[in-house]
């Protein structure tokens, strides 16, 4: 990983509509003392707007990693996943599915649409903390991201 | 016999055997015409088989003439003048000679039919010929009886078919009901995950961040809530697992029992990092089964053994080859199970101790039972308090669903 990536703040977009789950993830990031910005959007449409820096998100930062829930109020998360992974400007951004479903069909559909990883939301906070720490160890410390198109 | 004899009515016509009797009667008795009548339920007669020249239009007259007689032989009108006034005698009736014998079966007095010979010539039958007629009547009776037996068999077969259909319907209904139940269990437990996550997650955070700011009683309240939530989590997880069992679409493959036991062992070790568990096993075979289910079976049995053992559990897994099954044993040296609990422990949500610090389930053994039954086997235990417990389970050789 480049020195630059180590020191700069990593921008993560959480796409999640359940306020309780949003809070838990925010808390977990806090406790894991991660140096990154956690942006939150609650609908699939808002997620795409944020990623493409459209509408109210015109000034949004470039996103390094997306945490995507499959159960969204306006659309199926799988469709958002596909939209990201087929967009030439967005498809390089790693998308990690973080959802409550353990169903094989959802796992398969996600990987079919080129999700980078699939995680099931743990029931307790300790489990979530573990996930966030592992996220940090792997995605945010070891993995190299593609440079942003505007960089 | 009664219902069966009337069932014979429909089927005897065109019977080759009856035609043989007609030919015999014609030949042996030099009869002009021969007919075999069947008595209908309402009393009328119908022709089952007759020679071509038989005066069918006179059937009713013949019937009336014979009436209730079981044997009615008229040598000639001349010798029986009392019949001169008989309607039959006065009708434009060509028949001058009529001999009939009733066809009866067993002790049944009511005739099933009649064998009738007629002639336009005046004649009579001698004793020997009378006997021949009688024998021919008996042969008719035997055919009637055979046909009745066939009819009974056909009825029985229809009944069987009907019962088979009903049984099939019942099975379908049951399968449907089971499917719905499994679906319900799945949906319920799946949908319960989210609220459970909220409860557990935020209780955990509460404990984490506020325990030093709350008094002892408040912390106790939280502890009770956390404990309850943990048990709820276990139950919902078990329900999910249990509901998946019956709708499993996992294929049957060759399963290496030693491999799956090893996997279960490793999971135990990671879940019970503080325990020193010693698991030994004899040589285990390859069986035809569902890999993931077998893994869970071993998992649950090992967890159960550990839960009932002291600080250093020792578990032995054994195998015996039976003719139609594989027999496995999982033996522990724990506190044992009282005789009156032996069947209770396999029921859903029965736990030996309300100790939530030991994850593991009220449903573990119920799930094991379902898995074993899916594999065509049985699960049972032999144990005495203080002497550990040995769980036995069998797995069918070959495809359990054949």
């Amino acid at each position: 990983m480049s020195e630059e990536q180590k020191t700069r703040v990593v921008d993560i977009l959480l796409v999640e509509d359940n306020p309780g789950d949003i809070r838990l993830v925010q808390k977990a990031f806090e406790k894991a003392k991660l140096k990154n910005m956690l942006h939150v959007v609650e609908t699939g449409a808002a997620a795409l707007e944020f990623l493409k820096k459209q509408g109210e998100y015109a000034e949004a930062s470039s996103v390094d990693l997306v945490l995507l829930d499959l159960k969204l109020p306006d659309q199926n998360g799988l469709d958002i996943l596909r939209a990201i992974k087929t967009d030439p400007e967005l498809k390089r951004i790693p998308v990690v599915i973080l959802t409550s479903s353990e169903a094989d069909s959802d796992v398969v559909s996600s990987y079919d649409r080129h999700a980078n990883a699939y995680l099931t939301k743990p029931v307790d906070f300790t489990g979530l903390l573990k996930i966030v720490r592992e996220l940090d160890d792997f995605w945010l410390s070891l993995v190299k991201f593609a440079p942003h198109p505007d960089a | 016999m009664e219902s069966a004899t009337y069932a014979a009515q429909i089927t005897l016509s065109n019977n080759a055997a009856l035609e043989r009797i007609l030919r015999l009667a014609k030949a042996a008795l030099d009869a002009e015409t021969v007919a075999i009548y069947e008595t209908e339920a309402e009393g009328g007669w119908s022709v089952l088989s007759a020679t071509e020249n038989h005066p069918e239009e006179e059937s009713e007259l013949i019937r009336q003439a014979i009436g209730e007689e079981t044997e009615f032989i008229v040598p000639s009108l001349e010798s029986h003048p009392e019949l001169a006034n008989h309607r039959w005698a006065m009708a434009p009736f060509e028949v001058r000679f009529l001999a009939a014998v009733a066809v009866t079966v067993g002790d049944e007095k009511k005739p099933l039919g009649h064998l009738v010979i007629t002639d336009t010539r005046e004649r009579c039958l001698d004793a020997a010929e009378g006997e021949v007629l009688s024998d021919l009547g008996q042969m008719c009776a035997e055919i009637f009886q055979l046909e009745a037996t066939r009819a009974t068999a056909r009825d029985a077969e229809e009944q069987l078919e009907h019962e088979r259909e009903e049984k099939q319907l019942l099975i379908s209904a049951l399968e449907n009901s089971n499917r719905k139940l499994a679906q319900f269990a799945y949906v319920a437990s799946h949908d319960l995950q989210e609220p459970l996550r909220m409860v557990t997650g935020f209780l955990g955070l509460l404990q984490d961040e506020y325990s030093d700011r709350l008094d002892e009683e408040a912390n106790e309240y939280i502890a009770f809530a956390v404990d309850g939530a943990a048990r709820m989590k276990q139950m919902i997880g078990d329900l999910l697992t249990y509901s998946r069992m019956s709708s499993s679409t996992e294929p049957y493959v060759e399963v290496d029992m030693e491999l799956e036991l090893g996997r279960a062992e490793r999971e135990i070790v990671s879940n019970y990092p503080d325990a020193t568990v010693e698991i030994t096993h004899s040589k285990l075979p390859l069986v035809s089964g569902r890999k993931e289910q077998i893994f869970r079976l071993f998992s649950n049995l090992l967890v159960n053994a550990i839960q009932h053992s002291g600080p250093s559990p020792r578990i032995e897994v054994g195998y015996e080859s039976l003719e139609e099954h594989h027999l496995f044993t999982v033996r522990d040296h724990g506190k044992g199970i009282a005789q009156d609990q032996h069947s209770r422990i396999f029921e859903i949500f029965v736990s030996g101790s309300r100790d939530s610090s030991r994850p593991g389930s009220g449903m573990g053994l119920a799930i094991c039972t379902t898995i074993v039954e899916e594999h065509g086997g049985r699960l049972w235990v032999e144990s005495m308090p203080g002497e550990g417990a040995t769980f036995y389970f069998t797995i069918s050789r070959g495809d359990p669903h054949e």
Side-chain angles (χ1 to χ4, degrees), chain A residues 29-66:
Chain A
F29 270 77
E30 230 180 76
K31 290 202 178 286
K33 297 190 178 39
L34 296 189
K35 290 189 240 348
N36 46 55
M37 274 299 289
L38 186 66
H39 308 277
V40 182
V41 288
E42 295 177 39
T43 65
L48 290 174
E49 274 182 27
F50 193 104
L51 289 168
K52 289 158 100 82
K53 303 190 179 126
Q54 291 168 348
E56 63 182 279
Y57 301 109
E59 305 295 314
S61 346
S62 296
V63 172
D64 296 300
L65 179 79
V66 179

mmCIF file of all heavy atoms in Angstrom, chain A residues 29-66:
data_model
loop_
_atom_site.group_PDB
_atom_site.id
_atom_site.type_symbol
_atom_site.label_atom_id
_atom_site.label_comp_id
_atom_site.label_asym_id
_atom_site.label_seq_id
_atom_site.Cartn_x
_atom_site.Cartn_y
_atom_site.Cartn_z
ATOM 1 N N PHE A 29 -17.288 1.639 14.068
ATOM 2 C CA PHE A 29 -16.159 2.358 13.477
ATOM 3 C C PHE A 29 -15.475 3.222 14.522
ATOM 4 O O PHE A 29 -14.254 3.321 14.583
ATOM 5 C CB PHE A 29 -16.642 3.226 12.301
ATOM 6 C CG PHE A 29 -16.597 2.494 10.976
ATOM 7 C CD1 PHE A 29 -17.560 1.556 10.643
ATOM 8 C CD2 PHE A 29 -15.566 2.739 10.085
ATOM 9 C CE1 PHE A 29 -17.502 0.879 9.441
ATOM 10 C CE2 PHE A 29 -15.514 2.059 8.868
ATOM 11 C CZ PHE A 29 -16.484 1.127 8.542
ATOM 12 N N GLU A 30 -16.284 3.852 15.371
ATOM 13 C CA GLU A 30 -15.747 4.707 16.438
ATOM 14 C C GLU A 30 -14.853 3.901 17.362
ATOM 15 O O GLU A 30 -13.728 4.278 17.660
ATOM 16 C CB GLU A 30 -16.927 5.235 17.253
ATOM 17 C CG GLU A 30 -16.942 6.720 17.479
ATOM 18 C CD GLU A 30 -18.176 7.089 18.301
ATOM 19 O OE1 GLU A 30 -18.168 6.844 19.526
ATOM 20 O OE2 GLU A 30 -19.148 7.574 17.682
ATOM 21 N N LYS A 31 -15.422 2.754 17.817
ATOM 22 C CA LYS A 31 -14.675 1.942 18.768
ATOM 23 C C LYS A 31 -13.424 1.347 18.175
ATOM 24 O O LYS A 31 -12.440 1.115 18.878
ATOM 25 C CB LYS A 31 -15.561 0.805 19.299
ATOM 26 C CG LYS A 31 -16.627 1.357 20.194
ATOM 27 C CD LYS A 31 -17.169 0.309 21.122
ATOM 28 C CE LYS A 31 -18.195 0.919 22.030
ATOM 29 N NZ LYS A 31 -17.615 1.772 23.069
ATOM 30 N N ALA A 32 -13.465 1.071 16.877
ATOM 31 C CA ALA A 32 -12.286 0.484 16.257
ATOM 32 C C ALA A 32 -11.261 1.565 15.951
ATOM 33 O O ALA A 32 -10.178 1.272 15.436
ATOM 34 C CB ALA A 32 -12.691 -0.241 14.983
ATOM 35 N N LYS A 33 -11.623 2.788 16.290
ATOM 36 C CA LYS A 33 -10.725 3.927 16.108
ATOM 37 C C LYS A 33 -10.181 3.996 14.690
ATOM 38 O O LYS A 33 -8.983 4.119 14.457
ATOM 39 C CB LYS A 33 -9.567 3.861 17.104
ATOM 40 C CG LYS A 33 -10.022 3.951 18.553
ATOM 41 C CD LYS A 33 -8.821 4.130 19.459
ATOM 42 C CE LYS A 33 -9.167 4.279 20.933
ATOM 43 N NZ LYS A 33 -10.231 3.473 21.463
ATOM 44 N N LEU A 34 -11.100 3.881 13.752
ATOM 45 C CA LEU A 34 -10.659 3.925 12.369
ATOM 46 C C LEU A 34 -10.610 5.357 11.871
ATOM 47 O O LEU A 34 -11.506 6.148 12.111
ATOM 48 C CB LEU A 34 -11.606 3.110 11.498
ATOM 49 C CG LEU A 34 -11.649 1.620 11.817
ATOM 50 C CD1 LEU A 34 -12.442 0.889 10.763
ATOM 51 C CD2 LEU A 34 -10.252 1.050 11.908
ATOM 52 N N LYS A 35 -9.521 5.638 11.166
ATOM 53 C CA LYS A 35 -9.395 6.987 10.634
ATOM 54 C C LYS A 35 -10.048 7.012 9.272
ATOM 55 O O LYS A 35 -9.401 6.885 8.255
ATOM 56 C CB LYS A 35 -7.917 7.365 10.516
ATOM 57 C CG LYS A 35 -7.215 7.584 11.837
ATOM 58 C CD LYS A 35 -5.843 8.148 11.588
ATOM 59 C CE LYS A 35 -4.682 7.281 12.111
ATOM 60 N NZ LYS A 35 -4.980 6.211 12.980
ATOM 61 N N ASN A 36 -11.315 7.089 9.267
ATOM 62 C CA ASN A 36 -11.938 7.247 7.966
ATOM 63 C C ASN A 36 -13.280 7.944 8.118
ATOM 64 O O ASN A 36 -13.825 8.077 9.197
ATOM 65 C CB ASN A 36 -12.121 5.906 7.247
ATOM 66 C CG ASN A 36 -12.679 4.864 8.175
ATOM 67 O OD1 ASN A 36 -13.721 5.053 8.783
ATOM 68 N ND2 ASN A 36 -11.970 3.766 8.287
ATOM 69 N N MET A 37 -13.742 8.400 7.000
ATOM 70 C CA MET A 37 -15.023 9.087 6.972
ATOM 71 C C MET A 37 -16.093 8.104 6.585
ATOM 72 O O MET A 37 -16.006 7.477 5.517
ATOM 73 C CB MET A 37 -14.980 10.214 5.931
ATOM 74 C CG MET A 37 -14.417 11.508 6.466
ATOM 75 S SD MET A 37 -15.434 12.120 7.847
ATOM 76 C CE MET A 37 -16.885 12.638 6.968
ATOM 77 N N LEU A 38 -17.067 7.965 7.453
ATOM 78 C CA LEU A 38 -18.186 7.093 7.124
ATOM 79 C C LEU A 38 -19.357 7.958 6.658
ATOM 80 O O LEU A 38 -19.919 8.724 7.433
ATOM 81 C CB LEU A 38 -18.576 6.270 8.358
ATOM 82 C CG LEU A 38 -19.649 5.207 8.130
ATOM 83 C CD1 LEU A 38 -19.123 4.119 7.201
ATOM 84 C CD2 LEU A 38 -20.082 4.591 9.462
ATOM 85 N N HIS A 39 -19.633 7.885 5.362
ATOM 86 C CA HIS A 39 -20.791 8.602 4.831
ATOM 87 C C HIS A 39 -21.962 7.646 4.811
ATOM 88 O O HIS A 39 -21.791 6.461 4.536
ATOM 89 C CB HIS A 39 -20.517 9.097 3.403
ATOM 90 C CG HIS A 39 -19.247 9.861 3.280
ATOM 91 N ND1 HIS A 39 -19.159 11.212 3.583
ATOM 92 C CD2 HIS A 39 -18.010 9.491 2.883
ATOM 93 C CE1 HIS A 39 -17.921 11.627 3.379
ATOM 94 N NE2 HIS A 39 -17.191 10.594 2.959
ATOM 95 N N VAL A 40 -23.148 8.193 5.086
ATOM 96 C CA VAL A 40 -24.326 7.319 5.116
ATOM 97 C C VAL A 40 -25.405 7.816 4.181
ATOM 98 O O VAL A 40 -25.729 8.999 4.168
ATOM 99 C CB VAL A 40 -24.916 7.236 6.553
ATOM 100 C CG1 VAL A 40 -26.119 6.290 6.566
ATOM 101 C CG2 VAL A 40 -23.873 6.767 7.547
ATOM 102 N N VAL A 41 -25.951 6.935 3.341
ATOM 103 C CA VAL A 41 -27.149 7.268 2.566
ATOM 104 C C VAL A 41 -28.175 6.163 2.835
ATOM 105 O O VAL A 41 -27.797 5.025 3.140
ATOM 106 C CB VAL A 41 -26.893 7.367 1.044
ATOM 107 C CG1 VAL A 41 -26.101 8.608 0.721
ATOM 108 C CG2 VAL A 41 -26.225 6.127 0.527
ATOM 109 N N GLU A 42 -29.435 6.514 2.711
ATOM 110 C CA GLU A 42 -30.457 5.553 3.108
ATOM 111 C C GLU A 42 -31.277 4.974 1.970
ATOM 112 O O GLU A 42 -32.164 4.157 2.195
ATOM 113 C CB GLU A 42 -31.383 6.198 4.147
ATOM 114 C CG GLU A 42 -30.633 6.518 5.433
ATOM 115 C CD GLU A 42 -31.494 7.230 6.462
ATOM 116 O OE1 GLU A 42 -32.686 6.869 6.590
ATOM 117 O OE2 GLU A 42 -30.976 8.151 7.110
ATOM 118 N N THR A 43 -30.989 5.393 0.746
ATOM 119 C CA THR A 43 -31.713 4.791 -0.379
ATOM 120 C C THR A 43 -30.737 4.451 -1.489
ATOM 121 O O THR A 43 -29.620 4.980 -1.542
ATOM 122 C CB THR A 43 -32.767 5.753 -0.979
ATOM 123 O OG1 THR A 43 -32.083 6.878 -1.543
ATOM 124 C CG2 THR A 43 -33.760 6.220 0.057
ATOM 125 N N GLY A 44 -31.137 3.580 -2.376
ATOM 126 C CA GLY A 44 -30.312 3.198 -3.514
ATOM 127 C C GLY A 44 -30.073 4.383 -4.429
ATOM 128 O O GLY A 44 -28.947 4.619 -4.898
ATOM 129 N N ALA A 45 -31.130 5.156 -4.665
ATOM 130 C CA ALA A 45 -30.996 6.326 -5.549
ATOM 131 C C ALA A 45 -29.963 7.300 -4.992
ATOM 132 O O ALA A 45 -29.099 7.807 -5.728
ATOM 133 C CB ALA A 45 -32.345 7.006 -5.691
ATOM 134 N N ALA A 46 -30.047 7.566 -3.683
ATOM 135 C CA ALA A 46 -29.084 8.486 -3.051
ATOM 136 C C ALA A 46 -27.670 7.940 -3.169
ATOM 137 O O ALA A 46 -26.710 8.700 -3.368
ATOM 138 C CB ALA A 46 -29.452 8.693 -1.581
ATOM 139 N N ALA A 47 -27.520 6.616 -3.065
ATOM 140 C CA ALA A 47 -26.192 6.008 -3.167
ATOM 141 C C ALA A 47 -25.567 6.319 -4.518
ATOM 142 O O ALA A 47 -24.406 6.740 -4.606
ATOM 143 C CB ALA A 47 -26.293 4.496 -2.962
ATOM 144 N N LEU A 48 -26.355 6.109 -5.587
ATOM 145 C CA LEU A 48 -25.820 6.371 -6.926
ATOM 146 C C LEU A 48 -25.506 7.853 -7.126
ATOM 147 O O LEU A 48 -24.467 8.207 -7.707
ATOM 148 C CB LEU A 48 -26.802 5.866 -7.984
ATOM 149 C CG LEU A 48 -26.915 4.335 -8.065
ATOM 150 C CD1 LEU A 48 -28.020 3.911 -9.027
ATOM 151 C CD2 LEU A 48 -25.597 3.702 -8.470
ATOM 152 N N GLU A 49 -26.389 8.697 -6.611
ATOM 153 C CA GLU A 49 -26.148 10.146 -6.722
ATOM 154 C C GLU A 49 -24.854 10.528 -6.022
ATOM 155 O O GLU A 49 -24.054 11.322 -6.522
ATOM 156 C CB GLU A 49 -27.309 10.914 -6.098
ATOM 157 C CG GLU A 49 -28.462 11.140 -7.055
ATOM 158 C CD GLU A 49 -29.579 11.951 -6.406
ATOM 159 O OE1 GLU A 49 -29.298 12.741 -5.473
ATOM 160 O OE2 GLU A 49 -30.726 11.770 -6.841
ATOM 161 N N PHE A 50 -24.671 9.983 -4.813
ATOM 162 C CA PHE A 50 -23.456 10.276 -4.031
ATOM 163 C C PHE A 50 -22.218 9.843 -4.801
ATOM 164 O O PHE A 50 -21.240 10.580 -4.937
ATOM 165 C CB PHE A 50 -23.525 9.542 -2.687
ATOM 166 C CG PHE A 50 -22.490 10.001 -1.695
ATOM 167 C CD1 PHE A 50 -22.839 10.825 -0.633
ATOM 168 C CD2 PHE A 50 -21.154 9.601 -1.814
ATOM 169 C CE1 PHE A 50 -21.888 11.251 0.294
ATOM 170 C CE2 PHE A 50 -20.211 10.027 -0.896
ATOM 171 C CZ PHE A 50 -20.567 10.855 0.157
ATOM 172 N N LEU A 51 -22.271 8.605 -5.322
ATOM 173 C CA LEU A 51 -21.106 8.074 -6.018
ATOM 174 C C LEU A 51 -20.783 8.880 -7.278
ATOM 175 O O LEU A 51 -19.618 9.078 -7.628
ATOM 176 C CB LEU A 51 -21.342 6.595 -6.383
ATOM 177 C CG LEU A 51 -21.330 5.622 -5.197
ATOM 178 C CD1 LEU A 51 -21.862 4.261 -5.598
ATOM 179 C CD2 LEU A 51 -19.926 5.483 -4.615
ATOM 180 N N LYS A 52 -21.813 9.347 -7.969
ATOM 181 C CA LYS A 52 -21.598 10.100 -9.197
ATOM 182 C C LYS A 52 -21.517 11.602 -8.952
ATOM 183 O O LYS A 52 -21.405 12.381 -9.881
ATOM 184 C CB LYS A 52 -22.758 9.810 -10.174
ATOM 185 C CG LYS A 52 -22.707 8.401 -10.745
ATOM 186 C CD LYS A 52 -24.076 7.953 -11.253
ATOM 187 C CE LYS A 52 -24.200 8.097 -12.747
ATOM 188 N NZ LYS A 52 -23.613 6.971 -13.505
ATOM 189 N N LYS A 53 -21.572 11.986 -7.697
ATOM 190 C CA LYS A 53 -21.481 13.401 -7.299
ATOM 191 C C LYS A 53 -22.531 14.241 -8.025
ATOM 192 O O LYS A 53 -22.223 15.240 -8.669
ATOM 193 C CB LYS A 53 -20.076 13.948 -7.576
ATOM 194 C CG LYS A 53 -19.003 13.146 -6.882
ATOM 195 C CD LYS A 53 -17.646 13.809 -6.958
ATOM 196 C CE LYS A 53 -16.637 12.954 -6.225
ATOM 197 N NZ LYS A 53 -15.479 12.564 -6.899
ATOM 198 N N GLN A 54 -23.781 13.776 -7.922
ATOM 199 C CA GLN A 54 -24.886 14.484 -8.561
ATOM 200 C C GLN A 54 -25.797 15.127 -7.529
ATOM 201 O O GLN A 54 -25.782 14.757 -6.357
ATOM 202 C CB GLN A 54 -25.730 13.503 -9.385
ATOM 203 C CG GLN A 54 -25.024 12.969 -10.600
ATOM 204 C CD GLN A 54 -25.791 11.802 -11.205
ATOM 205 O OE1 GLN A 54 -26.707 11.267 -10.597
ATOM 206 N NE2 GLN A 54 -25.412 11.407 -12.402
ATOM 207 N N GLY A 55 -26.617 16.066 -7.986
ATOM 208 C CA GLY A 55 -27.655 16.688 -7.146
ATOM 209 C C GLY A 55 -27.086 17.270 -5.870
ATOM 210 O O GLY A 55 -26.085 18.000 -5.890
ATOM 211 N N GLU A 56 -27.672 16.897 -4.721
ATOM 212 C CA GLU A 56 -27.226 17.449 -3.442
ATOM 213 C C GLU A 56 -25.842 16.931 -3.054
ATOM 214 O O GLU A 56 -25.231 17.402 -2.103
ATOM 215 C CB GLU A 56 -28.244 17.141 -2.351
ATOM 216 C CG GLU A 56 -28.405 15.645 -2.090
ATOM 217 C CD GLU A 56 -29.459 15.352 -1.026
ATOM 218 O OE1 GLU A 56 -29.118 15.458 0.176
ATOM 219 O OE2 GLU A 56 -30.611 15.030 -1.407
ATOM 220 N N TYR A 57 -25.352 15.937 -3.791
ATOM 221 C CA TYR A 57 -24.058 15.363 -3.456
ATOM 222 C C TYR A 57 -22.960 15.840 -4.393
ATOM 223 O O TYR A 57 -21.923 15.190 -4.548
ATOM 224 C CB TYR A 57 -24.147 13.843 -3.489
ATOM 225 C CG TYR A 57 -25.173 13.278 -2.527
ATOM 226 C CD1 TYR A 57 -26.354 12.714 -3.011
ATOM 227 C CD2 TYR A 57 -24.974 13.328 -1.150
ATOM 228 C CE1 TYR A 57 -27.308 12.203 -2.139
ATOM 229 C CE2 TYR A 57 -25.925 12.829 -0.280
ATOM 230 C CZ TYR A 57 -27.091 12.272 -0.778
ATOM 231 O OH TYR A 57 -28.032 11.775 0.092
ATOM 232 N N ALA A 58 -23.199 16.990 -5.034
ATOM 233 C CA ALA A 58 -22.220 17.491 -6.004
ATOM 234 C C ALA A 58 -20.838 17.667 -5.396
ATOM 235 O O ALA A 58 -19.826 17.507 -6.066
ATOM 236 C CB ALA A 58 -22.718 18.813 -6.578
ATOM 237 N N GLU A 59 -20.792 18.006 -4.101
ATOM 238 C CA GLU A 59 -19.497 18.229 -3.448
ATOM 239 C C GLU A 59 -18.990 17.015 -2.688
ATOM 240 O O GLU A 59 -18.060 17.113 -1.882
ATOM 241 C CB GLU A 59 -19.621 19.413 -2.451
ATOM 242 C CG GLU A 59 -20.135 20.693 -3.080
ATOM 243 C CD GLU A 59 -19.165 21.240 -4.109
ATOM 244 O OE1 GLU A 59 -17.960 21.288 -3.799
ATOM 245 O OE2 GLU A 59 -19.604 21.588 -5.221
ATOM 246 N N ALA A 60 -19.606 15.886 -2.907
ATOM 247 C CA ALA A 60 -19.220 14.702 -2.118
ATOM 248 C C ALA A 60 -17.807 14.243 -2.443
ATOM 249 O O ALA A 60 -17.300 14.449 -3.551
ATOM 250 C CB ALA A 60 -20.195 13.560 -2.407
ATOM 251 N N SER A 61 -17.159 13.607 -1.435
ATOM 252 C CA SER A 61 -15.814 13.085 -1.681
ATOM 253 C C SER A 61 -15.911 11.823 -2.523
ATOM 254 O O SER A 61 -16.967 11.197 -2.619
ATOM 255 C CB SER A 61 -15.124 12.722 -0.359
ATOM 256 O OG SER A 61 -15.795 13.251 0.739
ATOM 257 N N SER A 62 -14.783 11.468 -3.129
ATOM 258 C CA SER A 62 -14.742 10.210 -3.876
ATOM 259 C C SER A 62 -14.733 9.066 -2.878
ATOM 260 O O SER A 62 -14.042 9.117 -1.860
ATOM 261 C CB SER A 62 -13.484 10.157 -4.740
ATOM 262 O OG SER A 62 -13.532 11.171 -5.698
ATOM 263 N N VAL A 63 -15.498 8.044 -3.210
ATOM 264 C CA VAL A 63 -15.649 6.926 -2.270
ATOM 265 C C VAL A 63 -14.632 5.827 -2.568
ATOM 266 O O VAL A 63 -14.385 5.482 -3.727
ATOM 267 C CB VAL A 63 -17.086 6.360 -2.369
ATOM 268 C CG1 VAL A 63 -17.223 5.077 -1.555
ATOM 269 C CG2 VAL A 63 -18.084 7.393 -1.878
ATOM 270 N N ASP A 64 -13.997 5.297 -1.487
ATOM 271 C CA ASP A 64 -13.017 4.226 -1.664
ATOM 272 C C ASP A 64 -13.613 2.837 -1.495
ATOM 273 O O ASP A 64 -13.115 1.853 -2.023
ATOM 274 C CB ASP A 64 -11.885 4.396 -0.640
ATOM 275 C CG ASP A 64 -11.124 5.681 -0.862
ATOM 276 O OD1 ASP A 64 -10.558 5.822 -1.963
ATOM 277 O OD2 ASP A 64 -11.108 6.529 0.056
ATOM 278 N N LEU A 65 -14.681 2.757 -0.708
ATOM 279 C CA LEU A 65 -15.279 1.455 -0.406
ATOM 280 C C LEU A 65 -16.762 1.652 -0.132
ATOM 281 O O LEU A 65 -17.143 2.612 0.533
ATOM 282 C CB LEU A 65 -14.594 0.845 0.832
ATOM 283 C CG LEU A 65 -15.106 -0.516 1.309
ATOM 284 C CD1 LEU A 65 -14.553 -1.629 0.446
ATOM 285 C CD2 LEU A 65 -14.703 -0.752 2.764
ATOM 286 N N VAL A 66 -17.583 0.768 -0.671
ATOM 287 C CA VAL A 66 -19.026 0.854 -0.409
ATOM 288 C C VAL A 66 -19.472 -0.331 0.456
ATOM 289 O O VAL A 66 -19.120 -1.472 0.183
ATOM 290 C CB VAL A 66 -19.828 0.839 -1.732
ATOM 291 C CG1 VAL A 66 -21.329 0.897 -1.457
ATOM 292 C CG2 VAL A 66 -19.415 2.002 -2.629
#
